[in-house]
Amino acid sequence: MQTGIKRLRSIVDDMLDVSMIDNDLLKLNFQPIQLENLLEILKRDLSETVSRRKQTLEIKPFDGSDKWVYVDSARIMQAIRNILDNAVKYTPDGGRITVDGRILP
């Protein structure tokens, strides 16, 4: 029940965000972060679920992941968390999830 409540809350929050974007009300708070740190935090947050499902979550280091970038850390974390949550949800038990990246011009 607790998991269902968390997922429902997340869906409602996402819908509110979309509404704010549509109405130009969403203000971004840009801060410097390193993507590798953010990805490690998310990996740690998902470790219990990944372990329970006997999955492997691999975060590959990539060029630029250690550089400082200016983003809204809460929003980028929310977006990547949604992607990783879906990856965990739709990867079969015992499966492997790999995160990789690259720098674009």
Side-chain angles (χ1 to χ4, degrees), residues 2-58:
Q2 194 70 358
T3 302
I5 291 169
K6 284 182 183 179
R7 282 189 84 50
L8 184 58
R9 173 65 187 214
S10 176
I11 291 168
V12 169
D13 288 345
D14 289 347
M15 290 172 59
L16 289 172
D17 288 345
V18 169
S19 175
M20 289 175 66
I21 290 168
D22 286 345
N23 293 300
D24 291 327
L25 297 173
L26 183 68
K27 302 295 180 219
L28 299 177
N29 181 20
F30 291 95
Q31 300 174 15
I33 65 160
Q34 290 176 304
L35 288 177
E36 66 182 1
N37 292 342
L38 182 135
L39 292 170
E40 283 302 319
I41 290 168
L42 289 172
K43 182 178 181 179
R44 190 173 46 240
D45 288 352
L46 290 169
S47 65
E48 183 181 324
T49 304
V50 168
S51 177
R52 185 174 58 247
R53 302 235 2 238
K54 295 181 176 45
Q55 296 170 328
T56 302
L57 175 57
E58 178 186 7

